[in-house]
Amino acid sequence: AFVLLSVISCDDEISEIGSNFFEGGALTMSSVDTISLKVSTIQFDSLTTSGATRLLVGYHEDVDLGPIASASFFQIGVDASFSLERLYTTYSRAELRLVHDGYSYYDTTQSISFSVHQVKEEIELPADNPYLYNTSTFKYDPVPMGSVTYKPRPNTKDTVKIALTEAFGRDIIRLAQSSATQVQSIT
């Protein structure tokens, strides 16, 4: 969006400056000031975010930039297909473990709350442009599968453990016991 703004100012007045150089003692001056501005707003969009080696999550109110939010979407999977024998497996718990690599930004004295939600659609990369961008969004279940409040410790390699719902864990076990395609290797 481009906006052209013009400011025009005209001023006719009698000035006393330099009047002693002229007979009659007055100098009439006219001045016209004109300025033109070309203003545009540019949104830095379409920044590639897929293939990142670090998950960034959080929210911050910056005095200059306003609200800054980050959410991560990812698909979990296994390197190869697997199945579990019913006779030899039981369900204990399901949890997501995130290893903090020491990187942090903004205020690390405050606790951070994480919520894990199940994405309700496939995270597929288009064949003609196989990337995700900062403008990519996905539908997800508003009810979290698990939550945790975490107090970050910069420059440490803490592990954040988020307990997931029993229903999710039991579903993974059921799929693995039946050798379902959902627990086959991801592409």
Side-chain angles (χ1 to χ4, degrees), residues 8 20 107 112 115 131 133:
I8 300 174
N20 55 345
D107 188 3
I112 300 171
S115 292
Y131 300 104
Y133 297 92

Short mmCIF file of all heavy atoms in Angstrom, two decimals, residues 8 20 107 112 115 131 133:
data_model
loop_
_atom_site.label_atom_id
_atom_site.label_comp_id
_atom_site.label_asym_id
_atom_site.label_seq_id
_atom_site.Cartn_x
_atom_site.Cartn_y
_atom_site.Cartn_z
N ILE A 8 1.30 21.53 1.92
CA ILE A 8 1.59 22.81 1.27
C ILE A 8 1.29 23.90 2.28
O ILE A 8 0.26 23.91 2.93
CB ILE A 8 0.75 22.99 -0.01
CG1 ILE A 8 1.06 21.88 -1.00
CG2 ILE A 8 0.99 24.36 -0.61
CD1 ILE A 8 0.19 21.89 -2.22
N ASN A 20 15.98 47.96 6.91
CA ASN A 20 16.80 49.18 6.88
C ASN A 20 17.58 49.30 5.58
O ASN A 20 18.20 50.31 5.31
CB ASN A 20 17.73 49.24 8.09
CG ASN A 20 18.60 48.01 8.22
OD1 ASN A 20 18.34 46.99 7.58
ND2 ASN A 20 19.61 48.10 9.06
N ASP A 107 12.76 -12.26 28.53
CA ASP A 107 12.81 -12.44 29.97
C ASP A 107 12.78 -13.92 30.37
O ASP A 107 11.81 -14.61 30.11
CB ASP A 107 11.62 -11.71 30.60
CG ASP A 107 11.68 -11.66 32.11
OD1 ASP A 107 12.67 -12.14 32.69
OD2 ASP A 107 10.75 -11.12 32.72
N ILE A 112 7.18 -20.15 32.16
CA ILE A 112 6.54 -20.30 30.86
C ILE A 112 5.62 -21.50 30.93
O ILE A 112 5.99 -22.54 31.46
CB ILE A 112 7.60 -20.53 29.76
CG1 ILE A 112 8.56 -19.35 29.68
CG2 ILE A 112 6.94 -20.77 28.41
CD1 ILE A 112 9.74 -19.61 28.77
N SER A 115 1.59 -25.85 26.36
CA SER A 115 0.44 -26.72 26.14
C SER A 115 0.68 -27.47 24.84
O SER A 115 1.12 -26.89 23.85
CB SER A 115 -0.86 -25.93 26.02
OG SER A 115 -1.19 -25.35 27.25
N TYR A 131 8.08 -26.16 1.59
CA TYR A 131 8.49 -25.44 2.79
C TYR A 131 7.26 -24.98 3.57
O TYR A 131 6.20 -24.78 3.01
CB TYR A 131 9.34 -24.20 2.44
CG TYR A 131 10.60 -24.53 1.71
CD1 TYR A 131 10.71 -24.32 0.35
CD2 TYR A 131 11.69 -25.08 2.39
CE1 TYR A 131 11.88 -24.64 -0.33
CE2 TYR A 131 12.86 -25.39 1.72
CZ TYR A 131 12.94 -25.17 0.36
OH TYR A 131 14.10 -25.49 -0.30
N TYR A 133 6.06 -21.79 6.19
CA TYR A 133 6.42 -20.39 6.39
C TYR A 133 5.84 -19.87 7.70
O TYR A 133 5.00 -20.51 8.31
CB TYR A 133 5.90 -19.55 5.21
CG TYR A 133 6.53 -19.94 3.91
CD1 TYR A 133 5.92 -20.90 3.09
CD2 TYR A 133 7.73 -19.39 3.50
CE1 TYR A 133 6.51 -21.28 1.90
CE2 TYR A 133 8.31 -19.77 2.31
CZ TYR A 133 7.71 -20.71 1.51
OH TYR A 133 8.29 -21.09 0.33
#
